[in-house]
Coordinates of all heavy atoms in Angstrom, one line a residue:
M1 N 19.8 -2.2 44.3 CA 20.0 -2.2 42.9 C 18.6 -2.1 42.3 O 17.7 -2.8 42.5 CB 20.6 -3.5 42.5 CG 20.9 -3.6 41.0 SD 21.9 -5.0 40.7 CE 21.3 -5.6 39.2
Q2 N 18.4 -1.1 41.4 CA 17.1 -0.9 40.7 C 17.0 -1.9 39.5 O 17.9 -2.3 38.9 CB 17.1 0.5 40.2 CG 16.7 1.5 41.2 CD 16.4 2.9 40.5 OE1 17.0 3.2 39.5 NE2 15.5 3.6 41.1
L3 N 15.7 -2.2 39.3 CA 15.4 -3.1 38.1 C 15.4 -2.2 36.9 O 15.0 -1.1 36.9 CB 14.1 -3.7 38.3 CG 13.9 -4.7 39.4 CD1 12.5 -5.2 39.5 CD2 14.8 -5.9 39.2
D4 N 15.9 -2.8 35.8 CA 15.9 -2.1 34.5 C 14.5 -2.0 34.0 O 13.8 -3.0 33.9 CB 16.8 -2.9 33.6 CG 17.1 -2.2 32.3 OD1 16.8 -1.0 32.2 OD2 17.6 -2.8 31.3
Q5 N 14.1 -0.8 33.7 CA 12.7 -0.6 33.2 C 12.5 -0.9 31.8 O 11.4 -1.1 31.3 CB 12.3 0.9 33.5 CG 12.3 1.3 34.9 CD 11.2 0.5 35.7 OE1 10.2 0.2 35.2 NE2 11.5 0.2 36.9
N6 N 13.6 -1.0 31.0 CA 13.5 -1.3 29.6 C 14.4 -2.5 29.3 O 15.5 -2.3 28.6 CB 13.8 -0.1 28.8 CG 13.4 -0.2 27.4 OD1 12.8 -1.2 27.0 ND2 13.9 0.7 26.5
P7 N 14.1 -3.7 29.7 CA 15.0 -4.8 29.3 C 15.0 -5.1 27.8 O 14.0 -4.9 27.1 CB 14.4 -6.0 30.1 CG 13.0 -5.6 30.4 CD 13.0 -4.1 30.4
F8 N 16.1 -5.5 27.3 CA 16.2 -5.7 25.9 C 15.7 -7.0 25.4 O 15.6 -7.2 24.2 CB 17.7 -5.5 25.4 CG 18.6 -6.5 26.1 CD1 18.8 -7.7 25.6 CD2 19.3 -6.2 27.3 CE1 19.6 -8.6 26.2 CE2 20.1 -7.1 27.9 CZ 20.3 -8.3 27.3
F9 N 15.2 -7.8 26.2 CA 14.6 -9.1 25.8 C 13.1 -9.0 25.4 O 12.5 -9.9 25.0 CB 14.8 -10.2 26.8 CG 14.2 -9.9 28.1 CD1 12.9 -10.2 28.4 CD2 15.0 -9.4 29.2 CE1 12.3 -9.9 29.6 CE2 14.5 -9.1 30.4 CZ 13.1 -9.4 30.6
R10 N 12.5 -7.8 25.7 CA 11.1 -7.6 25.4 C 10.9 -7.4 23.9 O 11.8 -6.8 23.2 CB 10.5 -6.4 26.1 CG 10.3 -6.6 27.5 CD 9.6 -5.5 28.1 NE 9.5 -5.6 29.6 CZ 9.2 -4.6 30.4 NH1 8.9 -3.4 29.9 NH2 9.1 -4.8 31.7
K11 N 9.8 -7.9 23.4 CA 9.5 -7.8 22.0 C 8.9 -6.4 21.8 O 8.0 -6.0 22.5 CB 8.5 -8.8 21.5 CG 8.2 -8.9 20.1 CD 7.3 -10.1 19.8 CE 6.8 -10.0 18.4 NZ 5.9 -11.1 18.1
P12 N 9.4 -5.6 20.8 CA 8.8 -4.3 20.6 C 7.4 -4.4 20.1 O 7.0 -5.2 19.3 CB 9.7 -3.6 19.6 CG 10.4 -4.8 18.9 CD 10.5 -5.9 19.9
I13 N 6.5 -3.5 20.6 CA 5.1 -3.4 20.2 C 5.0 -2.6 19.0 O 5.3 -1.4 19.0 CB 4.3 -2.9 21.4 CG1 4.4 -3.8 22.6 CG2 2.8 -2.8 20.9 CD1 3.7 -3.3 23.8
T14 N 4.5 -3.1 17.9 CA 4.3 -2.3 16.7 C 2.9 -1.7 16.7 O 1.9 -2.4 17.1 CB 4.5 -3.2 15.4 OG1 3.6 -4.3 15.5 CG2 5.9 -3.7 15.3
P15 N 2.7 -0.5 16.3 CA 1.4 0.1 16.2 C 0.6 -0.6 15.1 O 1.1 -1.3 14.2 CB 1.7 1.5 15.9 CG 3.1 1.6 15.4 CD 3.8 0.4 15.9
W16 N -0.7 -0.4 15.2 CA -1.7 -1.1 14.3 C -1.4 -0.7 12.9 O -1.6 -1.5 11.9 CB -3.1 -0.8 14.7 CG -3.5 0.6 14.5 CD1 -3.5 1.6 15.4 CD2 -4.0 1.2 13.3 NE1 -3.9 2.8 14.8 CE2 -4.2 2.6 13.5 CE3 -4.3 0.7 12.0 CZ2 -4.7 3.4 12.5 CZ3 -4.8 1.6 11.0 CH2 -5.0 2.9 11.3
Y17 N -1.0 0.5 12.6 CA -0.8 1.0 11.2 C 0.5 0.5 10.6 O 0.8 0.7 9.5 CB -0.9 2.5 11.1 CG 0.0 3.2 12.1 CD1 1.3 3.4 11.8 CD2 -0.5 3.7 13.3 CE1 2.2 4.1 12.7 CE2 0.3 4.3 14.2 CZ 1.7 4.5 13.9 OH 2.5 5.2 14.7
D18 N 1.3 -0.2 11.4 CA 2.6 -0.8 11.0 C 2.6 -2.3 11.2 O 3.6 -2.9 11.1 CB 3.7 -0.1 11.7 CG 5.0 -0.3 10.9 OD1 5.0 -0.5 9.7 OD2 6.1 -0.3 11.6
S19 N 1.4 -2.9 11.3 CA 1.4 -4.3 11.6 C 1.5 -5.1 10.2 O 1.4 -4.5 9.1 CB 0.0 -4.7 12.2 OG -1.0 -4.5 11.3
N20 N 1.8 -6.3 10.3 CA 2.0 -7.1 9.1 C 0.7 -7.1 8.2 O 0.9 -7.0 7.0 CB 2.4 -8.6 9.4 CG 3.8 -8.6 10.0 OD1 4.6 -7.7 9.8 ND2 4.1 -9.7 10.6
L21 N -0.4 -7.3 8.8 CA -1.7 -7.3 8.0 C -1.9 -6.0 7.3 O -2.2 -6.0 6.1 CB -2.9 -7.6 8.9 CG -4.2 -7.7 8.3 CD1 -4.3 -8.9 7.3 CD2 -5.3 -7.8 9.3
V22 N -1.7 -4.9 7.9 CA -1.9 -3.6 7.2 C -0.8 -3.4 6.1 O -1.1 -2.9 5.1 CB -1.8 -2.4 8.3 CG1 -1.8 -1.1 7.6 CG2 -3.0 -2.6 9.2
C23 N 0.4 -3.8 6.4 CA 1.5 -3.7 5.4 C 1.2 -4.5 4.2 O 1.4 -4.1 3.0 CB 2.8 -4.1 6.0 SG 3.5 -2.9 7.1
W24 N 0.7 -5.8 4.4 CA 0.3 -6.6 3.2 C -0.9 -6.0 2.5 O -1.0 -6.1 1.3 CB 0.0 -8.0 3.6 CG 1.2 -8.8 3.9 CD1 1.7 -9.3 5.1 CD2 2.2 -9.2 2.9 NE1 2.9 -10.0 4.9 CE2 3.2 -9.9 3.5 CE3 2.3 -9.0 1.5 CZ2 4.3 -10.5 2.9 CZ3 3.4 -9.6 0.8 CH2 4.3 -10.3 1.5
G25 N -1.8 -5.3 3.2 CA -2.9 -4.6 2.6 C -2.4 -3.4 1.7 O -2.9 -3.2 0.6
V26 N -1.4 -2.7 2.2 CA -0.8 -1.6 1.4 C -0.1 -2.1 0.2 O -0.3 -1.6 -0.9 CB 0.2 -0.8 2.3 CG1 1.0 0.1 1.5 CG2 -0.6 -0.1 3.4
V27 N 0.6 -3.3 0.3 CA 1.2 -3.9 -0.9 C 0.2 -4.3 -1.9 O 0.3 -4.0 -3.1 CB 2.1 -5.1 -0.4 CG1 2.6 -5.9 -1.7 CG2 3.3 -4.6 0.4
G28 N -0.9 -4.9 -1.4 CA -2.0 -5.3 -2.4 C -2.6 -4.1 -3.0 O -2.9 -4.1 -4.3
F29 N -2.9 -3.1 -2.3 CA -3.5 -1.9 -2.9 C -2.5 -1.2 -3.9 O -3.0 -0.7 -4.9 CB -3.9 -0.9 -1.8 CG -4.7 0.3 -2.3 CD1 -5.9 0.2 -2.8 CD2 -4.0 1.6 -2.3 CE1 -6.6 1.3 -3.3 CE2 -4.7 2.7 -2.8 CZ -6.0 2.5 -3.3
A30 N -1.3 -1.1 -3.5 CA -0.3 -0.5 -4.4 C -0.2 -1.4 -5.7 O 0.0 -0.8 -6.8 CB 1.1 -0.4 -3.7
F31 N -0.3 -2.7 -5.6 CA -0.3 -3.5 -6.8 C -1.5 -3.2 -7.7 O -1.3 -3.1 -8.9 CB -0.3 -5.0 -6.4 CG -0.3 -5.9 -7.6 CD1 0.8 -6.1 -8.4 CD2 -1.4 -6.7 -7.8 CE1 0.8 -7.0 -9.4 CE2 -1.5 -7.5 -8.9 CZ -0.4 -7.7 -9.7
L32 N -2.7 -3.0 -7.1 CA -3.8 -2.7 -7.9 C -3.7 -1.3 -8.5 O -4.1 -1.2 -9.7 CB -5.1 -2.7 -7.0 CG -5.5 -4.1 -6.5 CD1 -6.7 -3.9 -5.5 CD2 -5.9 -5.0 -7.6
V33 N -3.1 -0.4 -7.8 CA -2.9 0.9 -8.4 C -1.8 0.8 -9.6 O -2.0 1.5 -10.6 CB -2.4 1.9 -7.3 CG1 -1.9 3.2 -8.0 CG2 -3.5 2.2 -6.4
F34 N -0.8 0.0 -9.4 CA 0.2 -0.2 -10.4 C -0.5 -0.8 -11.7 O -0.2 -0.4 -12.8 CB 1.3 -1.2 -9.9 CG 2.4 -1.4 -10.9 CD1 3.3 -0.4 -11.2 CD2 2.5 -2.6 -11.6 CE1 4.3 -0.6 -12.0 CE2 3.5 -2.9 -12.5 CZ 4.4 -1.9 -12.7
I35 N -1.4 -1.8 -11.5 CA -2.1 -2.4 -12.7 C -3.0 -1.3 -13.3 O -3.0 -1.2 -14.6 CB -2.9 -3.6 -12.2 CG1 -2.0 -4.7 -11.7 CG2 -3.8 -4.1 -13.4 CD1 -1.1 -5.2 -12.7
F36 N -3.6 -0.5 -12.5 CA -4.5 0.6 -13.1 C -3.6 1.6 -13.9 O -4.0 2.1 -14.9 CB -5.2 1.3 -11.9 CG -6.0 2.5 -12.3 CD1 -7.2 2.3 -13.0 CD2 -5.6 3.8 -12.0 CE1 -8.0 3.3 -13.4 CE2 -6.4 4.8 -12.4 CZ -7.6 4.6 -13.1
A37 N -2.4 1.9 -13.4 CA -1.5 2.8 -14.1 C -1.0 2.2 -15.4 O -0.9 2.9 -16.4 CB -0.4 3.2 -13.1
L38 N -0.8 0.9 -15.4 CA -0.3 0.3 -16.6 C -1.4 0.3 -17.7 O -1.2 0.5 -18.9 CB 0.1 -1.2 -16.4 CG 1.4 -1.4 -15.6 CD1 1.7 -2.9 -15.4 CD2 2.5 -0.7 -16.3
Q39 N -2.7 0.2 -17.2 CA -3.8 0.3 -18.2 C -3.9 1.8 -18.7 O -4.2 2.0 -19.9 CB -5.1 0.0 -17.5 CG -5.3 -1.5 -17.2 CD -5.4 -2.3 -18.5 OE1 -6.0 -1.8 -19.4 NE2 -4.9 -3.5 -18.5
G40 N -3.6 2.7 -17.8 CA -3.6 4.1 -18.3 C -2.5 4.4 -19.3 O -2.7 5.1 -20.2
I41 N -1.3 3.8 -19.1 CA -0.2 3.9 -20.0 C -0.6 3.3 -21.4 O -0.3 3.9 -22.4 CB 1.1 3.3 -19.5 CG1 1.6 4.1 -18.3 CG2 2.1 3.2 -20.5 CD1 2.7 3.5 -17.5
Y42 N -1.3 2.2 -21.3 CA -1.8 1.6 -22.6 C -2.7 2.5 -23.3 O -2.6 2.6 -24.5 CB -2.4 0.2 -22.2 CG -3.0 -0.5 -23.4 CD1 -2.2 -1.0 -24.4 CD2 -4.4 -0.5 -23.6 CE1 -2.8 -1.6 -25.5 CE2 -5.0 -1.1 -24.7 CZ -4.2 -1.7 -25.7 OH -4.7 -2.2 -26.8
V43 N -3.7 3.0 -22.6 CA -4.7 3.9 -23.2 C -4.0 5.2 -23.8 O -4.3 5.6 -24.9 CB -5.8 4.3 -22.2 CG1 -6.7 5.4 -22.8 CG2 -6.6 3.0 -21.9
V44 N -3.1 5.7 -23.0 CA -2.5 7.0 -23.5 C -1.6 6.7 -24.7 O -1.6 7.5 -25.6 CB -1.6 7.6 -22.3 CG1 -0.7 8.6 -22.8 CG2 -2.5 8.2 -21.3
S45 N -0.9 5.6 -24.7 CA -0.1 5.3 -25.9 C -0.9 4.9 -27.1 O -0.3 5.0 -28.2 CB 0.9 4.2 -25.5 OG 0.3 3.0 -25.2
S46 N -2.1 4.4 -26.9 CA -2.9 4.1 -28.1 C -3.6 5.3 -28.8 O -4.0 5.2 -29.9 CB -3.9 3.0 -27.7 OG -4.9 3.5 -26.9
E47 N -3.8 6.3 -28.1 CA -4.5 7.5 -28.6 C -3.5 8.6 -28.8 O -2.8 9.0 -27.9 CB -5.6 8.0 -27.7 CG -6.7 7.0 -27.5 CD -7.6 7.0 -28.7 OE1 -7.7 8.0 -29.5 OE2 -8.2 5.9 -28.9
A48 N -3.4 9.2 -30.0 CA -2.4 10.2 -30.3 C -2.7 11.5 -29.6 O -1.8 12.3 -29.2 CB -2.3 10.4 -31.8
Q49 N -4.0 11.8 -29.3 CA -4.3 13.1 -28.7 C -4.0 13.1 -27.2 O -4.0 14.2 -26.6 CB -5.8 13.3 -28.9 CG -6.7 12.3 -28.3 CD -8.2 12.5 -28.7 OE1 -8.5 13.5 -29.4 NE2 -9.1 11.7 -28.2
F50 N -3.7 11.9 -26.6 CA -3.4 11.9 -25.2 C -2.0 11.8 -24.9 O -1.6 11.6 -23.7 CB -4.1 10.7 -24.5 CG -5.6 10.7 -24.5 CD1 -6.4 9.6 -24.7 CD2 -6.3 11.9 -24.4 CE1 -7.8 9.6 -24.7 CE2 -7.7 12.0 -24.5 CZ -8.4 10.8 -24.6
Q51 N -1.1 11.9 -25.9 CA 0.3 11.7 -25.7 C 0.9 12.7 -24.7 O 1.9 12.4 -24.0 CB 1.1 11.8 -27.0 CG 0.8 10.6 -28.0 CD 1.3 9.3 -27.4 OE1 2.4 9.3 -26.8 NE2 0.5 8.3 -27.6
G52 N 0.4 13.8 -24.6 CA 0.9 14.8 -23.6 C 0.6 14.5 -22.2 O 1.2 15.1 -21.3
H53 N -0.2 13.6 -21.9 CA -0.6 13.2 -20.6 C 0.0 11.9 -20.1 O -0.4 11.3 -19.1 CB -2.1 13.1 -20.5 CG -2.8 14.4 -20.8 ND1 -2.8 15.5 -20.0 CD2 -3.6 14.7 -21.9 CE1 -3.5 16.4 -20.6 NE2 -4.0 16.0 -21.7
L54 N 1.0 11.4 -20.8 CA 1.7 10.1 -20.5 C 2.4 10.2 -19.1 O 2.6 9.2 -18.5 CB 2.7 9.7 -21.6 CG 3.4 8.4 -21.4 CD1 2.4 7.3 -21.4 CD2 4.4 8.2 -22.5
W55 N 2.8 11.4 -18.7 CA 3.5 11.6 -17.5 C 2.7 11.2 -16.3 O 3.2 10.7 -15.3 CB 3.9 13.0 -17.3 CG 2.8 14.0 -17.2 CD1 2.1 14.6 -18.2 CD2 2.2 14.4 -15.9 NE1 1.1 15.4 -17.6 CE2 1.1 15.3 -16.3 CE3 2.4 14.1 -14.6 CZ2 0.3 15.9 -15.3 CZ3 1.6 14.7 -13.7 CH2 0.5 15.5 -14.0
F56 N 1.4 11.3 -16.3 CA 0.6 11.0 -15.1 C 0.5 9.5 -14.8 O 0.8 9.1 -13.7 CB -0.8 11.6 -15.3 CG -1.6 11.5 -14.0 CD1 -1.4 12.3 -12.9 CD2 -2.6 10.6 -13.9 CE1 -2.1 12.2 -11.8 CE2 -3.4 10.4 -12.7 CZ -3.1 11.3 -11.7
P57 N 0.1 8.7 -15.8 CA 0.0 7.2 -15.4 C 1.4 6.7 -15.2 O 1.6 5.7 -14.4 CB -0.7 6.6 -16.6 CG -0.6 7.5 -17.7 CD -0.5 8.9 -17.1
S58 N 2.4 7.2 -15.9 CA 3.8 6.8 -15.7 C 4.3 7.1 -14.3 O 4.9 6.2 -13.6 CB 4.8 7.4 -16.7 OG 4.4 7.1 -18.0
S59 N 4.0 8.3 -13.8 CA 4.4 8.6 -12.4 C 3.6 7.9 -11.4 O 4.2 7.5 -10.4 CB 4.3 10.1 -12.2 OG 3.0 10.6 -12.3
L60 N 2.4 7.6 -11.7 CA 1.5 6.8 -10.8 C 2.1 5.4 -10.7 O 2.1 4.8 -9.6 CB 0.1 6.8 -11.3 CG -0.9 6.2 -10.4 CD1 -1.0 6.9 -9.1 CD2 -2.3 6.1 -11.1
A61 N 2.5 4.8 -11.8 CA 3.1 3.5 -11.8 C 4.4 3.4 -11.0 O 4.6 2.5 -10.2 CB 3.3 3.0 -13.2
V62 N 5.2 4.4 -11.2 CA 6.5 4.4 -10.5 C 6.3 4.6 -9.0 O 6.9 3.9 -8.2 CB 7.4 5.5 -11.1 CG1 8.6 5.8 -10.3 CG2 7.9 5.2 -12.5
L63 N 5.5 5.5 -8.7 CA 5.2 5.8 -7.2 C 4.6 4.6 -6.5 O 5.0 4.2 -5.4 CB 4.4 7.0 -7.0 CG 5.1 8.3 -7.4 CD1 4.1 9.5 -7.3 CD2 6.3 8.6 -6.5
S64 N 3.6 3.9 -7.2 CA 3.0 2.8 -6.5 C 4.0 1.6 -6.4 O 4.0 0.9 -5.4 CB 1.8 2.3 -7.3 OG 2.1 1.9 -8.6
F65 N 4.9 1.5 -7.4 CA 5.9 0.4 -7.3 C 6.9 0.7 -6.2 O 7.2 -0.2 -5.4 CB 6.6 0.3 -8.7 CG 7.8 -0.7 -8.6 CD1 7.5 -2.0 -8.7 CD2 9.1 -0.2 -8.5 CE1 8.5 -2.9 -8.7 CE2 10.1 -1.2 -8.4 CZ 9.8 -2.5 -8.5
L66 N 7.2 2.0 -6.0 CA 8.2 2.4 -5.0 C 7.5 2.1 -3.6 O 8.2 1.7 -2.7 CB 8.6 3.8 -5.1 CG 9.6 4.1 -6.2 CD1 9.9 5.6 -6.3 CD2 10.9 3.3 -6.1
V67 N 6.3 2.5 -3.4 CA 5.6 2.2 -2.2 C 5.6 0.7 -1.8 O 5.9 0.3 -0.7 CB 4.2 2.8 -2.2 CG1 3.3 2.3 -1.0 CG2 4.2 4.3 -2.1
A68 N 5.2 -0.1 -2.8 CA 5.1 -1.5 -2.6 C 6.5 -2.1 -2.3 O 6.7 -2.9 -1.4 CB 4.5 -2.2 -3.8
F69 N 7.5 -1.6 -3.0 CA 8.9 -2.1 -2.7 C 9.4 -1.7 -1.3 O 10.0 -2.5 -0.6 CB 9.8 -1.5 -3.8 CG 11.2 -1.9 -3.7 CD1 11.5 -3.2 -4.0 CD2 12.2 -1.1 -3.3 CE1 12.8 -3.7 -4.0 CE2 13.5 -1.5 -3.2 CZ 13.8 -2.8 -3.6
K70 N 9.1 -0.5 -0.9 CA 9.6 0.0 0.4 C 8.9 -0.8 1.5 O 9.5 -1.2 2.5 CB 9.3 1.5 0.6 CG 10.2 2.4 -0.3 CD 11.6 2.3 0.2 CE 11.7 3.2 1.5 NZ 13.1 3.3 2.0
V71 N 7.6 -1.1 1.4 CA 6.8 -1.8 2.4 C 7.3 -3.3 2.4 O 7.4 -3.9 3.5 CB 5.3 -1.7 2.2 CG1 4.5 -2.6 3.1 CG2 4.9 -0.3 2.4
L72 N 7.6 -3.8 1.2 CA 8.1 -5.2 1.2 C 9.5 -5.3 1.9 O 9.8 -6.2 2.6 CB 8.2 -5.7 -0.2 CG 6.9 -6.1 -0.8 CD1 7.0 -6.4 -2.3 CD2 6.3 -7.3 -0.1
L73 N 10.3 -4.2 1.7 CA 11.6 -4.2 2.4 C 11.4 -4.1 3.9 O 12.2 -4.7 4.7 CB 12.4 -3.0 1.9 CG 13.1 -3.1 0.6 CD1 13.9 -1.8 0.2 CD2 14.1 -4.2 0.5
R74 N 10.4 -3.3 4.3 CA 10.1 -3.2 5.8 C 9.7 -4.6 6.3 O 10.1 -5.0 7.4 CB 9.1 -2.2 6.0 CG 8.7 -2.1 7.5 CD 7.6 -1.1 7.6 NE 8.0 0.3 7.3 CZ 7.2 1.3 7.2 NH1 6.0 1.2 7.4 NH2 7.7 2.5 6.9
L75 N 8.8 -5.3 5.6 CA 8.4 -6.6 6.0 C 9.5 -7.6 6.1 O 9.6 -8.4 7.0 CB 7.3 -7.1 5.1 CG 5.9 -6.4 5.3 CD1 5.0 -6.8 4.2 CD2 5.3 -6.8 6.6
N76 N 10.4 -7.5 5.1 CA 11.5 -8.4 5.1 C 12.5 -8.1 6.2 O 13.0 -9.1 6.9 CB 12.3 -8.3 3.7 CG 13.3 -9.4 3.5 OD1 13.2 -10.5 4.1 ND2 14.3 -9.1 2.8
A77 N 12.7 -6.9 6.5 CA 13.6 -6.5 7.7 C 13.0 -7.0 9.0 O 13.7 -7.4 9.9 CB 13.9 -5.0 7.7
R78 N 11.7 -6.8 9.1 CA 11.0 -7.2 10.3 C 11.0 -8.7 10.5 O 11.2 -9.2 11.6 CB 9.5 -6.7 10.3 CG 8.8 -7.0 11.6 CD 7.4 -6.5 11.6 NE 7.4 -5.1 11.3 CZ 6.3 -4.5 10.6 NH1 5.3 -5.3 10.3 NH2 6.3 -3.3 10.4
K79 N 10.9 -9.5 9.4 CA 11.0 -10.9 9.4 C 12.4 -11.4 9.9 O 12.5 -12.4 10.6 CB 10.6 -11.5 8.1 CG 10.5 -13.0 8.1 CD 9.9 -13.5 6.8 CE 11.1 -13.8 5.9 NZ 10.6 -14.5 4.6
K80 N 13.4 -10.7 9.4 CA 14.8 -11.1 9.8 C 15.1 -10.7 11.3 O 15.9 -11.4 11.9 CB 15.8 -10.3 8.9 CG 15.9 -10.9 7.6 CD 16.9 -10.2 6.8 CE 17.0 -10.8 5.4 NZ 18.1 -10.1 4.6
N81 N 14.4 -9.7 11.8 CA 14.6 -9.4 13.2 C 14.0 -10.3 14.2 O 14.3 -10.3 15.4 CB 14.2 -7.9 13.5 CG 15.1 -6.9 13.0 OD1 16.3 -7.2 12.7 ND2 14.6 -5.7 12.8
L82 N 13.0 -11.1 13.8 CA 12.3 -12.0 14.7 C 13.0 -13.2 14.9 O 13.9 -13.8 15.0 CB 10.9 -12.3 14.2 CG 9.9 -11.2 14.1 CD1 8.6 -11.6 13.5 CD2 9.7 -10.6 15.5

């Protein structure tokens, strides 16, 4: 009888770019980008000549929020699997 080469009781090895520390760093950086985008929205909305450029900080805020949310979901799912 051969031994199973891939037993299911082993803990999966996560690569360095998907480790908890790196994921928390990504969440922190996305939060800083979100704050920066909110400042951009404030500046754009205060100046009438910049109203045409409101799409850029708005899309930056939405995308950074989505990145942080997805990484937090990944961290939560990983925590539940342990």
Side-chain angles (χ1 to χ4, degrees):
M1 182 169 144
Q2 279 189 327
L3 293 175
D4 189 13
Q5 295 298 324
N6 193 11
F8 58 88
F9 59 84
R10 286 187 187 166
K11 187 176 172 182
I13 299 172
T14 57
W16 67 269
Y17 52 84
D18 198 24
S19 65
N20 287 343
L21 181 64
V22 173
C23 286
W24 281 112
V26 168
V27 169
F29 185 72
F31 178 72
L32 291 176
V33 170
F34 182 74
I35 298 298
F36 178 71
L38 290 181
Q39 288 292 325
I41 291 172
Y42 174 73
V43 168
V44 165
S45 61
S46 67
E47 295 287 331
Q49 62 187 1
F50 296 146
Q51 290 295 322
H53 301 289
L54 182 63
W55 64 271
F56 188 75
S58 301
S59 62
L60 187 63
V62 168
L63 290 174
S64 65
F65 177 78
L66 287 176
V67 165
F69 183 71
K70 292 288 284 184
V71 172
L72 284 172
L73 284 178
R74 178 183 295 172
L75 284 169
N76 191 26
R78 188 179 303 150
K79 189 171 93 173
K80 285 183 180 181
N81 284 340
L82 294 178

